Amino acid sequence: MSKTITGFSKFTKQEKIDWIVNTFFENPAIASKTLSQYWNSDKVLQDLHDDFIENTISNFYLPYGVAPNFVINNREYVVPMVVEESSVVAAASLVAKFWSTRGGFKATVLSTTKIGQVHFMFDGDFEELKNYFNKSKTSLIAATDAITKNMRKRGGGILDIELRDKTTELDNYYQLHVTFETKDSMGANFINSCLEEIAKEFEKEDVQIVMSILSNYVPDCIVRAEVSCPVEELYQENAAMYAKKFKQAVDIANVEPHRAVTHNKGIMNGVDAVVLATGNDFRAIESGAHAYASRSGSYKSLTNCEIENGIFKFWIEIPLALGTVGGLTGIHPLAKLSLEMLGSPSANELMEIIAVAGLAQNFAALRALTTTGIQHGHMKMHLSNIIKQLDASEEEKTYLLNYFENKQVSHSAVVEAYNNLKNT
Ligand code: MEV
């Protein structure tokens, strides 16, 4: 049977499912049941989710957890997190509590400029192009008036348009490099619409537009979050030695890209979880963060650490182009709920909260890595997950948790211990 199809998007949902399960599954009835098990019984809600994308046949659940006890700029938060990795929320909660008794997190938005570009080709005299651009600049901005009207009322809009000569990198290649302020919206649609109007206005016979699109590299949309405390308040024993090791771990990530990637991945565990919970675009955040981490020409840590005069200081600077209005933030019921849980933050406040989530996650990872090792905590969570899968009773669960307190956890070892327990 052919496994390609035309007109699939025109099928009803049931027709799509029937074709998929009958074409790709050994047991179509089981596949069909699994898909329908994840439908929402509330039709209105299911229709809403169906319409987010094309060809929706089911919903894919991820856990929605919360990390309480975050104190950020003296304000208390419960931070919603959507993530599948078992240790992330637990780590965030522990670290939030830890820093809540040490002054909490301090966060500041350093800049909020977003970028879009019209990429074009011009095979002529640069001076002539410059004159044409300078003469057109006012009309380029005017061409976006209808689109920017509301944004301007909110204090945003186009900040500047620059002509950039890129011909040393690619023959005949130039850009209109446009900077934007998009206030509480992430602004992707707004920026792209403006750019397309600008491109239409700028295009002429010898100016050939290639494309107009926002950039997810936003090195001028930066937030900084920080924690600090006296070194002796960091650890119960050997505080100075452990603080030094912690700083060495950050220093290593600053000089060794292999380590930096994993180090930053840990940061993104926290960042992405809150980005997802608030209905923001985690792919945009990911690509922007990693590009920023490479801005010096080699890939480095997004966090930094300093120990001076007995004070431990740990901070992150990260680009975060986020929205608290528009996009999914106002449509997805759980995104709306997350934002309300966070006190209906502005985009700037959300930047601060998410930078803190990243910093907290990195703190948890480095503290574990430089003391007990990461597997200790991970395995505890892993053990609970395996026990859950085994459908163990409360009594059996307590036995297994105690049994593995000082033993290596693996799936087979837990199953064996469980079976032994059952057979005694
Ligand atoms: C795992 O998801 C994240 C860590 O590997 C981060 C790190 O190594 O810093 C624990």
Side-chain angles (χ1 to χ4, degrees):
M1 202 203 314
S2 167
K3 291 188 177 177
T4 58
I5 191 159
T6 45
F8 184 72
S9 66
K10 308 256 167 11
F11 285 11
T12 63
K13 187 171 174 178
Q14 194 54 54
E15 286 167 344
K16 285 173 188 164
I17 291 171
D18 290 345
W19 184 77
I20 298 273
V21 298
N22 289 319
T23 314
F24 294 96
F25 290 86
E26 246 169 55
N27 191 329
I30 292 181
S32 184
K33 185 167 171 237
T34 304
L35 287 170
S36 60
Q37 254 173 357
Y38 286 89
W39 289 345
N40 201 296
S41 55
D42 176 341
K43 186 170 175 330
V44 177
L45 201 55
Q46 188 54 55
D47 285 350
L48 178 80
H49 284 76
D50 284 355
D51 288 346
F52 285 150
I53 59 167
E54 182 145 298
N55 297 341
T56 308
I57 55 173
S58 191
N59 306 302
F60 189 98
Y61 292 177
L62 283 176
Y64 180 101
V66 289
N69 298 319
F70 270 97
V71 176
I72 306 172
N73 297 338
N74 301 321
R75 197 172 153 184
E76 289 147 339
Y77 293 90
V78 171
V79 176
M81 302 180 97
V82 172
V83 64
E84 87 300 344
E85 191 172 324
S86 54
S87 55
V88 171
V89 177
S93 308
L94 271 176
V95 170
K97 189 82 193 265
F98 179 87
W99 284 106
S100 70
T101 57
R102 290 163 179 81
F105 293 83
K106 302 281 172 259
T108 329
V109 171
L110 303 180
S111 51
T112 56
T113 302
K114 289 164 188 161
I115 292 162
Q117 295 167 321
V118 176
H119 305 268
F120 67 95
M121 296 292 166
F122 173 75
D123 181 13
D125 177 33
F126 181 50
E127 282 307 309
E128 199 185 294
L129 180 67
K130 237 172 34 188
N131 284 340
Y132 171 61
F133 168 72
N134 287 335
K135 266 194 237 142
S136 316
K137 204 166 166 180
T138 316
S139 62
L140 295 181
I141 293 190
T144 64
D145 269 357
I147 305 169
T148 59
K149 194 169 164 218
N150 283 334
M151 188 63 87
R152 279 184 278 126
K153 273 191 212 147
R154 284 159 41 203
I158 296 176
L159 302 176
D160 196 14
I161 309 183
E162 257 176 75
L163 171 66
R164 290 195 174 176
D165 180 351
K166 306 293 282 181
T167 52
T168 51
E169 284 121 90
L170 183 68
D171 282 350
N172 304 332
Y173 171 37
Y174 296 86
Q175 294 169 353
L176 295 181
H177 184 91
V178 190
T179 44
F180 296 87
E181 168 58 57
T182 61
K183 301 310 272 184
D184 284 336
S185 65
M186 192 267 190
N189 282 328
F190 169 75
I191 293 174
N192 289 334
S193 303
C194 288
L195 293 172
E196 288 186 5
E197 285 310 313
I198 291 170
K200 257 192 255 160
E201 182 70 21
F202 196 60
E203 189 163 32
K204 64 185 177 86
E205 210 178 312
D206 55 352
V207 170
Q208 285 155 12
I209 307 292
V210 179
M211 58 189 164
S212 310
I213 186 76
L214 95 169
S215 171
N216 290 121
Y217 183 44
V218 279
D220 291 313
C221 187
I222 302 288
V223 54
R224 179 189 161 101
E226 180 185 310
V227 283
S228 66
C229 73
V231 165
E232 65 270 16
E233 287 180 19
L234 261 189
Y235 299 92
Q236 277 168 354
E237 284 162 35
N238 295 326
M241 180 194 83
Y242 280 121
K244 194 168 154 205
K245 268 180 89 168
F246 187 103
K247 178 174 157 31
Q248 284 164 345
V250 180
D251 293 345
I252 289 170
N254 263 317
V255 296
E256 164 53 47
H258 281 91
R259 172 57 202 149
V261 171
T262 317
H263 175 101
N264 288 345
K265 187 275 181 186
I267 293 172
M268 301 317 281
N269 278 344
V271 169
D272 284 350
V274 191
V275 169
L276 266 170
T278 55
N280 274 280
D281 180 346
F282 66 93
R283 286 88 55 213
I285 296 299
E286 280 280 338
S287 50
H290 297 298
Y292 188 71
S294 324
R295 69 195 181 286
S296 65
S298 62
Y299 189 90
K300 287 176 184 289
S301 164
L302 288 163
T303 52
N304 271 295
C305 180
E306 188 183 276
I307 301 169
E308 256 180 36
N309 305 325
I311 302 290
F312 168 88
K313 196 155 116 185
F314 181 49
W315 72 97
I316 185 169
E317 280 186 20
I318 184 169
L320 292 173
L322 297 165
T324 52
V325 298
L328 216 57
T329 60
I331 308 174
H332 197 300
L334 281 173
K336 282 206 265 189
L337 183 121
S338 297
L339 288 168
E340 191 174 340
M341 196 185 295
L342 291 171
S344 303
S346 63
N348 282 13
E349 283 161 347
L350 188 60
M351 284 169 81
E352 292 171 352
I353 294 164
I354 292 183
V356 163
L359 185 70
Q361 214 52 231
N362 192 222
F363 181 80
L366 296 184
R367 194 170 60 161
L369 284 166
T370 53
T371 53
T372 57
I374 206 77
Q375 286 311 86
H376 182 73
H378 273 194
M379 280 306 152
K380 260 194 178 161
M381 297 296 288
H382 189 43
L383 176 61
S384 311
N385 284 344
I386 300 169
I387 294 175
K388 252 183 237 143
Q389 283 166 19
L390 292 173
D391 246 346
S393 67
E394 273 312 306
E395 218 173 300
E396 290 163 344
K397 188 175 159 188
T398 312
Y399 169 83
L400 289 169
L401 287 174
N402 286 333
Y403 180 82
F404 279 98
E405 186 61 43
N406 299 311
K407 291 190 183 60
Q408 190 74 24
V409 176
S410 74
H411 192 270
S412 56
V414 181
V415 173
E416 195 185 325
Y418 177 68
N419 287 339
N420 287 343
L421 177 65
K422 285 267 181 208
N423 295 330
T424 52

